[in-house]
Amino acid sequence: FPSIKICAAEYWEKALAAHSQMRRAPNVDVGKMQFNLARCYNELGDVEKERTLHEQALQTRIQQYGQGSTNLHVGLSLLHTAKVQQTAGDHPLALVYLQQASEIFQVLVKSSPESKTF
């Protein structure tokens, strides 16, 4: 069903563009849309578009929650961005993102007993 996946990716792009125009500041919804669109491109096998969108989602979430944030969504974006960087062959950058994600998850585990599912 490649044509359905391509169509879904196109709709995600249109929704992201429309939502981005509605708001000036990055917000959680835009980061989530970028993240989900990146996953669509993963399914399509388009590593470059996936990488670009995961980077954008990460930057949106960092702007939303602040540099050095220990927010779960920032950690997940770091984790997925690291994965796509590794797939693309950028192992040093992937390692940096994995380290940052690890630090966030360690803080979350220590701060909340419920988050020990990591």
Side-chain angles (χ1 to χ4, degrees):
F1 300 98
S3 62
I4 292 173
K5 290 180 182 178
I6 291 170
C7 186
E10 289 172 1
Y11 283 122
W12 271 107
E13 284 182 353
K14 288 178 183 178
L16 176 62
H19 197 273
S20 294
Q21 289 175 357
M22 288 172 39
R23 303 189 187 262
R24 291 203 180 284
N27 61 56
V28 173
D29 293 334
V30 172
K32 183 176 184 177
M33 292 172 81
Q34 290 166 324
F35 183 85
N36 287 336
L37 184 56
R39 297 191 67 191
C40 285
Y41 280 110
N42 172 274
E43 290 292 321
L44 293 170
D46 191 333
V47 175
E48 282 308 309
K49 282 190 177 179
E50 178 189 10
R51 179 164 53 172
T52 298
L53 285 159
H54 272 306
E55 286 283 349
Q56 290 173 355
L58 176 60
Q59 292 309 311
T60 298
R61 288 175 168 169
I62 288 172
Q63 288 176 6
Q64 170 83 31
Y65 298 107
Q67 189 70 31
S69 169
T70 58
N71 178 276
L72 175 64
H73 296 293
V74 174
L76 290 173
S77 280
L78 283 163
L79 192 61
H80 283 272
T81 304
K83 178 182 167 249
V84 75
Q85 293 295 353
Q86 182 181 10
T87 300
D90 194 343
H91 301 287
L93 187 54
L95 188 59
V96 168
Y97 287 141
L98 284 173
Q99 178 63 38
Q100 291 174 354
S102 173
E103 290 169 2
I104 288 173
F105 295 139
Q106 287 175 12
V107 168
L108 290 172
V109 166
K110 290 177 184 175
S111 66
S112 174
E114 295 85 33
S115 65
K116 292 191 179 187
T117 58
F118 293 118

